[in-house]
Amino acid sequence: MEMKRRDFLSMSAAGATAAGLSAIGVTLAGPAGAAPAGSLTEVLYLTGTDADHTVNWDFFCTSGRGSGAWSTIATPSNWECQGFGTYNYGGTPVPGENGRYRHTFTTPAAWAGRRIFLVFEGAMTDTEVWVNGTPAGPKHQGGFYRFRYDVTSRVKLGQSNLLEVTVSKESSNASVNDAEREGDYWNFGGIFRPVSLQASPATHIDRVAIDAQASGAFAIDVQLAGIGAAGRVTVQLRRLDGTAVGAAFSASVAAGATKTRLTSTISAPQLWTAETPTLYQAEVTLYDGAGSPLHGFTQRFGFRTVEVRNGDGVYVNGRKVILKGTNRHTFWPTLGRASSPRLARQDIVLMKDMNMNAVRMSHYPPDAFFLDLCDELGLYVLDELAGWQKRYDEGVGAPLVASMVTRDVNHPSILFWDNGNEGGWNTALDDDFALYDPQRRKVLHPWTTFSGIDTSHYQSYSSTVTKLAGSAIVMPTEFLHGLYDGGAGAGLNDYWKVLGSGPRAAGGFVWALVDEGVARGDRGGAIDTTGNRAPDGIVGPYREREASFYTIKDIWSPVQLASPTYYASTFPASFDRTVKIVNRYDFTNTRQCTFRWRLVNFAVPGSAATGHTVIAQGTATSPDIAPGATGSLALGLPDTWTGADALGLTVTDPTGRVLSTWMWKIKKAADHAGRLVVPVAGAPAVTAVQDSAGVTMIAGTTRVTINGSTGRLSGVIRDGVAVSLTNGPAPATGSATFTGLTHFADGTGWVVQANYTGDLTSVRWRLDSGGWLRMEYRYHRTGEADYLGVNMDYPESKVRGLTWLGDGPYRVYKNRMRGVTPDVWSKTYNDTATGATGRQYPEFKGYHANTYWANLSTTEGTITMVAAEENLFLRLFTPAVGASPQNATVPYPAGGISFLDGIPAIGDKFLPANRLGPESQPNVATGDYHRTVYFRFGA
């Protein structure tokens, strides 16, 4: 059954598929708007409206799975995701794989006298169409673009009609294959965007192109069709609720006219930005010479001005903006490139939750509803013509530019057009964009310098600094290439210090938003990322939030802490109940944000609870800080604030979305250790036995053996159960030569002293009467090192989970320390190899920052570890990585558990860690180190 729309007054502009059809004459008014005068374009959907709402067509696939027989297929869709054909990644063509579609439909008899178009929003890749056995027109080539046929004379009104479509997965035009099918991404086939019939009056408005400037100057180019006699075009601007803005204005059109331009000026319009996405609508009506309305048309738009000021930056409405963005493929594991407003909204909300304000359409124009939602929710957009390192020839490329720009021209979210990517641009097409864009947006060549903007990809930190000292604006359209757990957030803190502010800085776009993992129907739904080619995302294929999500959210928050001191997880001694903050918004004053504080106490080891308990909370008065300025936030804490374990501060934007949450620990490691490591009154004294194996200290049912030849822990028994924590502490880097061991009673405890030469100098063990084992060690190290500290062994197979007080819940690297929060966290053991199937987040293994205490749950009972000093990194085992991690991997020390003072940085796909900035350099040891860790075994 076809889906019919006579008008769209009842449809929400938020994500209606029809909204994207307005560029070719479909009327869309706001929910409360008045309908424009005159007949409206009517739409009959032949497929479903999107991937969430499909219609079955007859289908025949010529090769691969499900081929050789007629069946049915949901449309719109990619046929690989429906059980047909062959999965293939870019550069591995499947010649001869075609899909043949059949569908019958009935055209309303009331459409007599109307001009009827058959509209395809997108089909991969070559498309041939027949209506009632007659070709609808020439074969369309290009998989990501709207195309249409005038089928007025081919359809039978009020009767059944037959639509036949053949879609070839590979194009017969070599340059189309070069531009679209040779890219570094999955290739799909099929009618993956909607197909509709659209009926307009014979004399009608074909499309419009709007130029609405921040000054209030408004111009609209109205394309006309079928103007057999003189008439008039009238425009009324309205808010989305239908309220008129200014007076209507009009222009006469002569017989045979195909275009007219109308202009007006609006006083003090509300301006569109990514922070304030205010939209208007232009109600356009075509009248005949007698003043009778013939056709009505409504188009959304926003007042805003985009400038590229050479050698300076990108400006919106007269203010410099910094683009904080990512590259997005239209992709879902079970749908391929077929999408829906629901999925589009989910991705936009995801990006905005990361405090992004921009997105690049890599590497093709998206669904029209995605751009509608960018307009509505507020994202700056780079809209891209396909061409990944290879280009379209001019003959096939020119109509694709026309299709893309005429469809997308009225979206205020679009700041730039991209002509291909990484050499995939045909310079002969550069001036075509302006033919259809009265705003004359700049055209970019992503990967090089064009239009005064250097968009170079995957520059090192040092080369980025060098470029910023040059003459061009710097805005990399791809940087910090994610792979598994590397890149994306790792290194961003340093890059953003230079890309996020200063002369010629305009921001940049991280590669990429999602891991492109296909749920393979021929492999039981297993996720396939083709090795290391597709797991590049900040989030997983089903939008699982990985650690870099939170790092980016923190670094790109428009409200930032003014001093690095405040990013420490403990308070500076000078804290006076105020926090200095920087407003990194481009247009929003912080008085529009909300600041809420809370004093909390953390859960304690052994309790069933995790997280924290709020003991006091309040809302601070929002400070008046202009964009770009620094000011103070007075929290208004009670005098008793120092009695809490920690202070939390959350800032939300004017819509209530959380921008940042900070948690500062008031109580230090020593405070928690003093609270947890306490003697047991009345417990019997600790004794010791020395034999050929070493010294065994005994406290009640706890027995701890220190090896007499190494000074290391060699055995633990608690309540008759052996605990397999052994062979430590061993230096994580460097040497330790054992020189001797002594032991003696120490009040209610027993001490075993082990001495060494080399990097590790001494270890003092002490078991107290309550069963707490103290490990106090000293080492000396200078120079560069991947990691600093000591290791111990524990069998990974015996581990079941971890509960800990420290930064979490995600693991960290030296160059990805932001985005984690102090709290009591818990996670079950998992062996997730990042980039593999069966992802589980957060990953269990790796480096964990600022650990105060940790309960390791094992098959041998609980092992409790407590730090006596600040800044301890707890390392848990060595994570696996996916295939060919390139530079997106880090070294790990020996053993399974480590207590560290320094950890390594991680690289991204293309660059090793040491090229990603100051935070990514190796640790530099500075001499003597001393640390104490307590252990308790069992309850």
Side-chain angles (χ1 to χ4, degrees):
M1 178 180 293
E2 280 72 49
M3 305 176 68
K4 187 173 181 181
R5 300 287 185 269
R6 288 189 175 274
D7 64 64
F8 300 93
L9 297 180
S10 63
M11 296 180 65
S12 168
T17 301
L21 302 178
S22 57
I24 52 172
V26 176
T27 297
L28 175 66
S39 179
L40 305 177
T41 295
E42 297 183 17
V43 177
L44 184 71
Y45 281 97
L46 304 183
T47 63
T49 55
D50 54 64
D52 287 345
H53 307 90
T54 60
V55 170
N56 284 340
W57 285 18
D58 295 331
F59 184 69
F60 182 99
C61 190
T62 60
S63 63
R65 294 172 303 135
S67 62
W70 281 95
S71 58
T72 60
I73 191 171
T75 61
S77 69
N78 287 124
W79 66 58
E80 297 85 352
C81 301
Q82 300 292 318
F84 299 97
T86 307
Y87 293 102
N88 72 296
Y89 202 81
T92 55
V94 186
E97 184 173 297
N98 300 330
R100 300 172 187 168
Y101 296 82
R102 292 189 310 218
H103 186 64
T104 58
F105 62 92
T106 300
T107 308
W111 282 5
R114 286 182 165 248
R115 193 171 177 189
I116 303 169
F117 291 96
L118 176 63
V119 180
F120 287 74
E121 292 298 309
M124 298 172 177
T125 295
D126 283 3
T127 308
E128 300 170 90
V129 181
W130 295 264
V131 177
N132 294 324
T134 303
K139 174 170 62 178
H140 174 78
Q141 296 183 306
F144 299 99
Y145 307 89
R146 174 186 288 163
F147 58 98
R148 68 176 182 173
Y149 300 105
D150 187 337
V151 294
T152 307
S153 63
R154 292 173 173 83
V155 296
K156 297 176 289 186
L157 299 181
Q159 302 179 49
S160 178
N161 295 268
L162 175 64
L163 173 63
E164 298 171 283
V165 182
T166 295
V167 178
S168 302
K169 188 168 180 175
E170 306 293 327
S171 178
S172 61
N173 181 290
S175 79
V176 172
N177 289 330
D178 285 346
E180 297 185 13
R181 315 306 283 179
E182 297 291 320
D184 185 12
Y185 43 79
W186 286 101
N187 285 339
F188 298 99
I191 299 171
F192 73 110
R193 291 176 180 166
V195 179
S196 63
L197 287 171
Q198 299 178 19
S200 299
T203 300
H204 64 272
I205 300 162
D206 194 54
R207 57 183 169 85
V208 301
I210 291 173
D211 180 12
Q213 295 293 308
S215 64
F218 177 89
I220 182 169
D221 293 333
V222 182
Q223 301 292 329
L224 303 167
I227 305 297
R232 178 168 293 275
V233 172
T234 297
V235 178
Q236 174 66 62
L237 303 185
R238 297 184 185 275
R239 296 184 176 87
L240 293 189
D241 65 3
T243 304
V245 177
F249 50 100
S250 64
S252 59
V253 292
T258 58
K259 177 181 178 180
T260 187
R261 167 170 270 233
L262 294 83
T263 61
S264 184
T265 300
I266 302 304
S267 176
Q270 292 180 286
L271 303 184
W272 189 96
T273 72
E275 297 172 26
T276 57
T278 303
L279 294 169
Y280 290 79
Q281 52 194 10
E283 182 185 285
V284 187
T285 307
L286 174 63
Y287 294 89
D288 64 15
S292 297
L294 299 173
H295 187 212
F297 185 111
T298 300
Q299 175 64 56
R300 290 199 316 182
F301 70 95
F303 285 97
R304 62 104 184 88
T305 298
V306 181
E307 302 169 83
V308 176
R309 298 184 184 176
N310 289 335
D312 183 1
V314 176
Y315 284 74
V316 173
N317 303 336
R319 292 189 184 179
K320 188 173 184 178
V321 297
I322 299 295
L323 302 190
K324 302 178 291 186
T326 188
N327 290 268
R328 176 191 183 259
H329 275 294
T330 303
F331 176 80
W332 191 259
T334 59
L335 298 172
R337 306 265 178 247
S339 189
S340 68
R342 174 184 63 86
L343 294 173
R345 178 180 290 271
Q346 176 178 304
D347 277 0
I348 293 171
V349 169
L350 193 73
M351 288 183 273
K352 290 189 75 71
D353 279 350
M354 278 187 278
N355 290 311
M356 293 179 175
N357 65 2
V359 59
R360 175 181 172 222
M361 301 291 94
S362 54
H363 295 291
Y364 40 81
D367 301 274
F369 52 69
F370 182 85
L371 296 174
D372 291 331
L373 287 164
C374 289
D375 293 343
E376 191 171 296
L377 301 176
L379 276 181
Y380 300 122
V381 174
L382 275 58
D383 200 5
E384 187 155 300
L385 185 75
W388 188 84
Q389 299 190 352
K390 297 179 181 179
R391 67 187 190 180
Y392 294 116
D393 63 41
E394 188 173 5
V396 73
L400 298 181
V401 172
S403 173
M404 172 176 140
V405 179
T406 55
R407 189 197 75 164
D408 297 346
V409 64
N410 296 310
H411 291 286
S413 55
I414 296 174
L415 303 189
F416 298 99
W417 308 110
D418 293 349
N419 181 2
N421 174 60
E422 294 191 348
W425 47 78
N426 186 334
T427 57
L429 300 176
D430 284 333
D431 55 2
D432 283 22
F433 292 83
L435 297 176
Y436 315 101
D437 180 13
Q439 299 177 36
R440 305 185 70 85
R441 297 168 177 93
K442 295 290 187 181
V443 174
L444 302 179
H445 290 174
W447 200 28
T448 189
T449 302
F450 194 70
S451 296
I453 301 179
D454 185 341
T455 58
S456 296
H457 291 177
Y458 308 117
Q459 295 294 308
S460 68
Y461 173 83
S462 62
S463 63
T464 299
V465 172
T466 299
K467 285 179 173 293
L468 284 162
S471 59
I473 298 165
V474 176
M475 187 186 73
T477 39
E478 297 177 26
F479 77 112
L480 288 176
H481 194 302
L483 176 61
Y484 306 140
D485 206 24
L492 181 61
N493 200 42
D494 280 332
Y495 272 80
W496 208 246
K497 289 173 184 175
V498 295
L499 286 174
S501 61
R504 291 174 293 281
F509 295 79
V510 171
W511 186 273
L513 180 62
V514 291
D515 292 335
E516 277 199 272
V518 172
R520 293 284 295 257
D522 56 349
R523 299 180 186 175
I527 293 290
D528 182 8
T529 60
T530 64
N532 74 351
R533 298 180 74 182
D536 304 336
I538 301 165
V539 298
Y542 289 106
R543 279 50 175 181
E544 302 94 332
R545 296 187 178 192
E546 303 176 32
S548 280
F549 176 97
Y550 297 97
T551 302
I552 294 168
K553 179 180 180 69
D554 185 16
I555 294 170
W556 279 355
S557 170
V559 178
Q560 290 286 317
L561 302 175
S563 168
T565 302
Y566 289 114
Y567 283 102
S569 61
T570 55
F571 278 96
S574 60
F575 180 68
D576 61 356
R577 297 188 238 183
T578 65
V579 177
K580 289 195 177 299
I581 58 176
V582 181
N583 183 353
R584 296 294 186 199
Y585 274 116
D586 297 317
F587 299 93
T588 304
N589 192 297
T590 56
R591 66 171 175 265
Q592 298 172 254
C593 299
T594 301
F595 297 82
R596 294 184 176 91
W597 60 264
R598 63 195 184 281
L599 294 169
V600 306
N601 284 340
F602 294 124
V604 297
S607 67
T610 57
H612 56 261
T613 300
V614 176
I615 59 174
Q617 58 188 324
T619 301
T621 301
S622 300
D624 184 353
I625 306 173
T630 300
S632 293
L633 172 68
L635 297 177
L637 301 179
D639 293 339
T640 56
W641 71 272
T642 56
D645 283 351
L647 166 66
L649 177 63
T650 298
V651 53
T652 55
D653 74 2
T655 70
R657 185 175 58 86
V658 173
L659 301 175
S660 279
T661 295
W662 300 286
M663 184 79 80
W664 295 280
K665 291 175 286 190
I666 300 170
K667 294 293 191 292
K668 307 296 193 291
D671 298 318
H672 288 276
R675 178 189 300 172
L676 298 173
V677 183
V678 295
V680 177
V686 180
T687 60
V689 175
Q690 184 170 11
D691 57 21
S692 60
V695 177
T696 298
M697 299 177 284
I698 305 166
T701 61
T702 300
R703 300 172 62 91
V704 176
T705 300
I706 307 302
N707 187 284
S709 301
T710 65
R712 297 179 183 177
L713 181 66
S714 61
V716 174
I717 297 175
R718 169 69 188 230
D719 293 330
V721 177
V723 180
S724 303
L725 184 67
T726 62
N727 198 31
T733 188
S735 64
T737 301
F738 180 68
T739 60
L741 179 149
T742 61
H743 63 99
F744 52 89
D746 176 20
T748 59
W750 202 276
V751 173
V752 177
Q753 174 77 30
N755 295 314
Y756 303 86
T757 59
D759 295 272
L760 184 65
T761 57
S762 69
V763 178
R764 172 169 285 205
W765 301 94
R766 183 182 188 276
L767 182 65
D768 71 16
S769 60
W772 282 99
L773 175 66
R774 183 179 71 192
M775 180 180 73
E776 183 180 3
Y777 58 90
R778 299 176 186 271
Y779 66 95
H780 180 89
R781 184 77 183 180
T782 58
E784 291 187 352
D786 288 324
Y787 27 71
L788 299 167
V790 299
N791 308 322
M792 305 184 81
D793 287 343
Y794 190 81
E796 188 177 325
S797 61
K798 296 181 183 294
V799 174
R800 294 295 176 263
L802 180 76
T803 300
W804 80 105
L805 171 55
D807 291 354
Y810 288 89
R811 63 191 180 197
V812 298
Y813 305 104
K814 186 172 183 285
N815 58 352
R816 198 185 70 196
M817 294 290 291
R818 292 181 62 174
V820 286
T821 303
D823 211 336
V824 175
W825 304 99
S826 185
K827 55 184 175 181
T828 56
Y829 174 85
N830 64 76
D831 192 25
T832 296
T834 310
T837 58
R839 294 166 171 81
Q840 185 173 343
Y841 298 106
E843 301 97 335
F844 185 81
K845 303 178 189 179
Y847 299 110
H848 300 78
N850 296 310
T851 305
Y852 276 9
W853 58 258
N855 273 0
L856 189 67
S857 174
T858 79
T859 59
E860 302 172 333
T862 299
I863 302 173
T864 299
M865 300 167 278
V866 179
E869 296 90 13
E870 302 295 313
N871 306 318
L872 174 69
F873 291 99
L874 173 64
R875 171 275 186 119
L876 294 175
F877 308 106
T878 298
V881 293
S884 304
Q886 296 187 227
N887 298 290
T889 186
V890 297
Y892 284 88
I897 297 175
S898 303
F899 305 99
L900 302 172
D901 296 295
I903 62 172
I906 192 169
D908 68 6
K909 188 168 190 175
F910 295 140
L911 295 173
N914 62 8
R915 297 188 64 194
L916 299 183
E919 291 180 0
S920 300
Q921 302 311 302
N923 300 292
V924 177
T926 57
D928 293 321
Y929 293 84
H930 166 250
R931 190 170 284 282
T932 301
V933 178
Y934 295 92
F935 299 90
R936 185 175 173 87
F937 308 97

